[in-house]
Amino acid sequence: MHVHKYEKIWLIFGITTLIVFLSVVGVSAFYAGNQPPSCLTVIDPEKVDSTAPFNEPGLKKVEGKDWDYELVFVAQAFAYTPGDVEVPLGAKVKVIATSKDVIHGFEVAGTNINMMVEPGYISEHITTFDKTGEYLILCNEYCGAGHHMMMSKIKVVE
């Protein structure tokens, strides 16, 4: 069987590309620990208001954990609770969010915080706010007629 020179080149290129791709995914998944969120933490969406920590949304200082503060948000029809929050500069913050009704987005503009907030699941992200200023929180998942009005702010202060 005779294989043309250009077919050999494309076969080698294709197989090499596949090996490189699978190697990158394997190293990323197993060595670097990058894995998709598992959504193991669940909550009853009808009991969000009576379930800790969502019964008292806002910023709370914590002791004995890898982060300094927990910032709890509840997303609901066209609003986040709390509306505005002040966070100390340089604080390591665990952002915890859930939804009462439909899927919402939770994007903090100017940071790497971008979560999908689903009813029945708790989304978490740990970050450090290194710059003072106001960070706008936007819903980046269409959630209904008032979606464009759904926002909140994190103000980082010294």
Side-chain angles (χ1 to χ4, degrees):
M1 181 170 121
H2 174 70
V3 179
H4 194 271
K5 178 174 106 176
Y6 292 122
E7 288 180 17
K8 284 182 186 176
I9 292 171
W10 277 110
L11 279 171
I12 292 170
F13 175 75
I15 291 170
T16 304
T17 304
L18 181 63
I19 291 170
V20 168
F21 172 75
L22 292 175
S23 299
V24 169
V25 170
V27 167
S28 176
F30 298 109
Y31 178 74
N34 295 330
Q35 297 174 353
S38 59
C39 293
L40 292 178
T41 312
V42 295
I43 186 171
D44 183 353
E46 295 177 5
K47 297 180 181 175
V48 168
D49 291 329
S50 61
T51 306
F54 301 103
N55 56 342
E56 296 178 22
L59 186 70
K60 292 176 186 54
K61 183 142 180 73
V62 295
E63 301 290 331
K65 302 209 177 177
D66 291 340
W67 51 90
D68 305 318
Y69 293 90
E70 288 183 350
L71 181 52
V72 179
F73 278 95
V74 177
Q76 58 201 350
F78 320 129
Y80 291 108
T81 305
D84 295 338
V85 179
E86 284 192 1
V87 175
L89 178 67
K92 192 170 185 180
V93 179
K94 181 177 186 178
V95 180
I96 306 168
T98 193
S99 171
K100 290 184 186 180
D101 48 16
V102 297
I103 295 174
H104 295 282
F106 189 92
E107 178 181 359
V108 182
T111 70
N112 65 342
I113 301 172
N114 187 2
M115 301 184 290
M116 182 181 279
V117 183
E118 301 175 66
Y121 296 99
I122 297 173
S123 299
E124 300 175 342
H125 185 87
I126 299 173
T127 191
T128 302
F129 291 98
D130 292 327
K131 289 196 270 185
T132 59
E134 289 188 356
Y135 294 88
L136 188 62
I137 300 171
L138 299 168
C139 178
N140 57 6
E141 292 282 334
Y142 183 74
C143 56
H147 164 76
H148 63 284
M149 297 183 298
M150 190 169 176
M151 67 182 85
S152 184
K153 280 186 201 165
I154 296 175
K155 186 173 183 180
V156 179
V157 295
E158 290 193 42

